[in-house]
Amino acid sequence: MSAEATNPEAHPEARPELRRRGRSRLDLRRLGRAALLGPTSRDRLPDAIGHVAEAHRAHHPDADMSILRRAYLLAESSHRGQMRKSGEPYITHPLAVTLILAELGAETTTLTASLLHDTVEDTDVTLDQVRAEFGDEVRFIVDGVTKVEKIDYGAAAEPETFRKMLVATGNDVRVMSIKLADRLHNMRTLGVMRPEKQARIAKVTRDVLIPLAERLGVQALKTELEDLVFAILHPEEYESTRALIAAHAGESDPLPGIADSVRTVLREAGIAAEVQVRPRHFVSVHRISRTRGELRGSDFGRILILVGENADCYAVLGELHTCFTPVVSEFKDFIATPKFNLYQSLHTAVATPEGHVAEVIVRTRQMHRVAEAGVVALGNPYATATPDATAHPDEERADPTRPGWLSRLLDWQQSAPDPDTFWTVLRAELAQDREITVFRADGGTLGLPAGASCIDAAYAQHGEAAHGCIGARVNGRLTSLSSPLSDGDTVQLLLAQDTSSGPAAEWLDHARTPAARIAISSWLDAHPDRAMATTTAARAPLSVVGARGGGANAVTDLPDATVRLAGCCTPVPPDAVAGFLVRGGAVTVHRVQCAAVAQMRAVGRTSVAVHWRATADCRVTLLAESFGRPHLLADLTEAIAREGVEVVSATVEPPVEGRVRHTYTLQLPDAAGLSALMRAMRDVPGVYDVSRA
């Protein structure tokens, strides 16, 4: 992971966190000279990592610094003589990366691995040496951030390196924490590189690293990476935004006055709170300038309120909405419904009597730590786990911090052996910036990207078995597989019993997750004939007419009367029936439960006694509702024939939203076989309901 050359002056205004901390920026050249000279004493931390130790003790006062000392000595001696492209000693890079993580609150194991993260890649240090000196966890993390050999992978080295890191991150999120800090320092020091190489690195940062920082909740790294990428890829817009911020700096800012008013309100309410004004970073200012047009003074920052407990957040919200005019459309509760990247806060906006509108964020101090540092703030994910002495360090470990999106990514990457496919799909997957949770019928949950359909849910739950999915019930109602899902929906997926069933080509139009798209595409590639057969073109109603059977087997006492079985309820033996005399001297026969019986009586139709003949044969009309697929009519007709039933006529209506209705008039040799016939028709793949007309 060879870092890029340092340029300390590159885009200093794009690093607002340096202004916020009030700490002078580290002189990496001074640290480099100290590193070359080596430690002056073997019984204390080398001066070169004094800043790291200070930042680490601020978060972990009881941390064992001797481990960091040993890691630094190994890193410094291993990298000794190596220089960055700017001429600085190489050790300045792992020191800077470790300092970034220390200030975020990373625990000792992460910092140890960070100091060593380039040793295996760029020096003679081996993973076995790292394990012997620092243990399995440090060895695992260092291996996770070590690049694959370009000589072995060629042009595929970059995507395969990211694949390796993501798989390792699935077992330990600290791997990606180090990668993000590594990329941040490289982006800070990218100024001496050729413009085309700066642009290439910035694009990968934009497409992959920034979305990963967002998903892991590391906002402190994400916002600075956004500003650095913005400066490289959009220099003109960056300069205009910088000028806009500089012009605002010379104007009167209403936010400090609003913050003072908020402090007074909360103090009088007896709520202990810390109120800060947080300037927006460059990209944030650019975004709101494009949506709001001309910016007002209060648009350049937000008010942050930190409290002790969750209940205090809502108490603060109540006081704000009581003492100021709330902007209702701006209220969001991310405490009750956290974002998928661990983020929790209350967002609101209030208007002052002077007409200023200020955006306000309310959170606890713990929420603030997680909002800034994300997974880094969670520390060691295995600290409370029971160690398994028999587990091999290379085996997959159950990480309690693994988010759902990462589990999905790890699943689909196994089906994308081609590096180009992996790289393309990875960028598309990371572009999905919102996630929903849907409930399975068995009580489990599925995490899916916003906009996912029932097709995505099918492949997320059933894998390749979803090829035979024929429909779904969402919140208890039948729906087509293309239907999009919303957060909180309950989805029941209906699978065909025929294991040879496969997806239709149009499923790709509605699949949003890489797992679904890769699985569907692979099946269609393996079954080109079946893929060509699938079509959603509208068809005219199709009628199939067979030989008509004998007359109805319902009889009446009226001589020479024509007996007709009503089409509205299609009575068959041994249904209880009622007959009515209609025009032309005919008698219509209805089931007694049919709604038409009451209507006949209401209009004064003459009731006629009707009974069934001794013969058991009968005629019945059935409705079959199904999801459209090739050969469905043939399969249904075959199922009917296997029951020994004669098809008098069949009508297939054009599909509507992927669903098709079939109407069959059938001659049964024995009315007692009607239930078995309906079961056989329901068992046909794609059919979800069969009923009498």
Side-chain angles (χ1 to χ4, degrees):
M1 187 181 305
S2 300
E4 304 302 341
T6 290
N7 179 6
E9 301 304 320
H11 312 301
E13 56 277 274
R15 297 188 293 275
E17 85 295 340
L18 299 179
R19 298 192 301 269
R20 289 198 302 267
R21 283 197 291 269
R23 177 188 294 172
S24 60
R25 185 160 184 258
L26 291 180
D27 185 347
L28 295 179
R29 294 182 184 275
R30 180 183 63 80
L31 290 181
R33 287 193 296 272
L36 289 176
L37 293 174
T40 57
S41 173
R42 304 292 293 184
D43 59 356
R44 65 183 180 87
L45 284 172
D47 292 338
I49 58 169
H51 285 77
V52 173
E54 177 187 351
H56 190 38
R57 286 195 183 98
H59 293 278
H60 304 277
D62 300 326
D64 182 3
M65 296 296 172
S66 65
I67 300 175
L68 290 181
R69 172 183 172 277
R70 288 190 290 114
Y72 170 77
L73 291 175
L74 177 59
E76 186 277 325
S77 61
S78 301
H79 289 296
R80 186 172 296 173
Q82 294 179 348
M83 310 298 285
R84 304 193 84 208
K85 293 188 178 180
S86 61
E88 294 153 334
Y90 194 87
I91 190 62
T92 58
H93 171 66
L95 278 172
V97 172
T98 306
L99 179 60
I100 291 170
L101 292 168
E103 291 180 330
L104 289 175
E107 39 71 60
T108 307
T109 300
T110 303
L111 301 186
T112 303
S114 176
L115 284 168
L116 302 170
H117 78 271
D118 276 341
T119 54
V120 174
E121 181 180 323
D122 293 336
T123 75
D124 294 332
V125 175
T126 67
L127 289 172
D128 288 339
Q129 287 179 281
V130 173
R131 174 190 286 151
E133 187 73 19
F134 300 101
D136 287 331
E137 287 195 355
V138 173
R139 181 259 184 207
F140 184 89
I141 298 171
V142 171
D143 184 31
V145 295
T146 299
K147 288 180 181 177
V148 301
E149 292 289 346
K150 192 166 186 178
I151 192 172
D152 296 329
Y153 288 88
E158 185 171 39
E160 288 301 329
T161 293
F162 271 97
R163 189 202 296 263
K164 176 174 178 279
M165 289 181 187
L166 287 167
V167 171
T169 300
N171 291 330
D172 195 326
V173 293
R174 294 174 291 185
V175 171
M176 191 53 65
S177 300
I178 294 176
K179 176 59 181 176
L180 291 172
D182 172 81
R183 179 53 59 96
L184 175 58
H185 182 244
N186 285 340
M187 288 296 298
R188 285 176 178 175
T189 60
L190 208 59
V192 298
M193 305 302 295
R194 299 188 308 275
E196 59 272 19
K197 188 167 186 179
Q198 291 187 38
R200 183 185 65 79
I201 295 173
K203 287 177 181 177
V204 174
T205 304
R206 177 196 63 193
D207 295 342
V208 180
L209 273 302
I210 288 175
L212 284 171
E214 167 72 15
R215 290 177 178 229
L216 293 172
V218 195
Q219 295 297 318
L221 303 187
K222 179 225 173 189
T223 53
E224 187 177 353
L225 284 171
E226 282 185 327
D227 285 348
L228 293 167
V229 167
F230 184 43
I232 292 172
L233 297 183
H234 306 282
E236 294 181 359
E237 294 177 339
Y238 172 81
E239 286 300 326
S240 63
T241 303
R242 186 185 63 80
L244 191 64
I245 294 174
H248 165 71
E251 300 174 353
S252 176
D253 189 347
L255 286 178
I258 298 173
D260 288 339
S261 299
V262 170
R263 291 189 190 96
T264 301
V265 166
L266 298 182
R267 185 169 56 251
E268 293 176 351
I271 301 174
E274 178 183 351
V275 182
Q276 305 175 7
V277 175
R278 284 172 63 91
R280 292 183 183 274
H281 64 105
F282 277 51
V283 171
S284 180
V285 171
H286 175 68
R287 285 172 181 158
I288 64 170
S289 68
R290 296 187 65 178
T291 58
R292 301 180 186 177
E294 184 176 354
L295 299 182
R296 297 166 296 181
S298 58
D299 290 330
F300 287 86
R302 292 181 288 190
I303 294 176
L304 174 65
I305 302 176
L306 302 179
V307 295
E309 303 292 338
N310 287 20
D312 296 335
C313 295
Y314 293 97
V316 168
L317 184 70
E319 293 298 325
L320 291 175
H321 286 189
T322 300
C323 300
F324 300 91
T325 302
V327 181
V328 179
S329 61
E330 295 294 323
F331 174 67
K332 297 181 181 68
D333 188 345
F334 295 119
I335 295 178
T337 55
K339 291 185 178 182
F340 68 91
N341 61 357
L342 310 177
Y343 180 85
Q344 288 184 288
S345 292
L346 295 178
H347 287 208
T348 189
V350 295
T352 66
E354 295 78 18
H356 299 297
V357 176
E359 294 184 32
V360 183
I361 300 173
V362 186
R363 60 175 69 134
T364 66
R365 290 177 177 82
Q366 175 60 20
M367 290 176 191
H368 180 61
R369 183 174 174 229
V370 173
E372 291 291 294
V375 295
V376 178
L378 299 179
N380 183 356
Y382 313 104
T384 58
T386 301
D388 183 358
T390 65
H392 191 277
D394 291 333
E395 294 178 356
E396 182 172 335
R397 301 179 288 183
D399 190 340
T401 66
R402 180 194 289 186
W405 64 265
L406 182 54
S407 294
R408 292 198 309 274
L409 188 153
L410 295 175
D411 288 340
W412 69 253
Q413 67 86 23
Q414 297 177 357
S415 303
D418 176 29
D420 291 336
T421 300
F422 168 77
W423 198 230
T424 301
V425 176
L426 174 65
R427 296 185 183 205
E429 164 81 352
L430 294 177
Q432 306 281 350
D433 59 354
R434 290 196 309 114
E435 184 165 298
I436 62 173
T437 299
V438 299
F439 297 93
R440 298 174 2 187
D442 60 7
T445 60
L446 296 172
L448 298 169
S453 66
C454 295
I455 294 172
D456 299 302
Y459 282 95
Q461 181 173 348
H462 297 293
E464 291 190 358
H467 291 333
C469 195
I470 57 176
R473 293 182 185 271
V474 177
N475 302 325
R477 301 184 63 181
L478 280 166
T479 186
S480 62
L481 286 173
S482 61
S483 299
L485 295 168
S486 300
D487 196 39
D489 281 347
T490 298
V491 60
Q492 177 187 3
L493 300 159
L494 309 176
L495 300 183
Q497 295 182 352
D498 182 5
T499 57
S500 65
S501 298
E506 59 266 23
W507 285 18
L508 288 171
D509 296 333
H510 307 288
R512 296 290 178 269
T513 58
R517 297 186 62 83
I518 291 173
I520 295 167
S521 298
S522 298
W523 190 94
L524 294 174
D525 290 342
H527 302 81
D529 296 338
R530 297 280 294 276
M532 291 295 293
T534 58
T535 177
T536 56
R539 299 184 299 271
L542 172 64
S543 296
V544 179
V545 181
R548 293 190 177 274
N553 55 352
V555 296
T556 178
D557 295 336
L558 291 179
D560 302 323
T562 301
V563 178
R564 298 172 181 167
L565 299 180
C568 56
C569 58
T570 59
V572 298
D575 292 341
V577 292
F580 296 91
L581 190 64
V582 296
R583 292 184 179 91
V587 175
T588 60
V589 180
H590 298 261
R591 282 188 276 170
V592 294
Q593 301 93 341
C594 180
V597 171
Q599 297 173 356
M600 289 286 191
R601 289 173 178 160
V603 299
R605 296 292 186 188
T606 302
S607 179
V608 177
V610 179
H611 63 274
W612 297 108
R613 286 195 184 115
T615 180
D617 69 321
C618 66
R619 181 174 295 183
V620 64
T621 300
L622 298 180
L623 296 179
E625 296 186 81
S626 67
F627 296 100
R629 66 171 178 83
H631 314 302
L632 181 59
L633 178 61
D635 292 345
L636 266 171
T637 305
E638 182 181 353
I640 293 169
R642 282 199 303 265
E643 297 298 316
V645 176
E646 180 183 0
V647 178
V648 177
S649 67
T651 301
V652 183
E653 299 177 10
V656 177
E657 295 185 352
R659 287 175 284 185
V660 183
R661 171 179 283 197
H662 308 247
T663 304
Y664 293 92
T665 300
L666 307 169
Q667 188 73 29
L668 279 71
D670 189 342
L674 179 59
S675 297
L677 170 64
M678 295 174 69
R679 283 196 301 270
M681 294 174 67
R682 289 192 188 101
D683 287 341
V684 173
V687 177
Y688 60 80
D689 194 21
V690 176
S691 60
R692 290 168 64 178

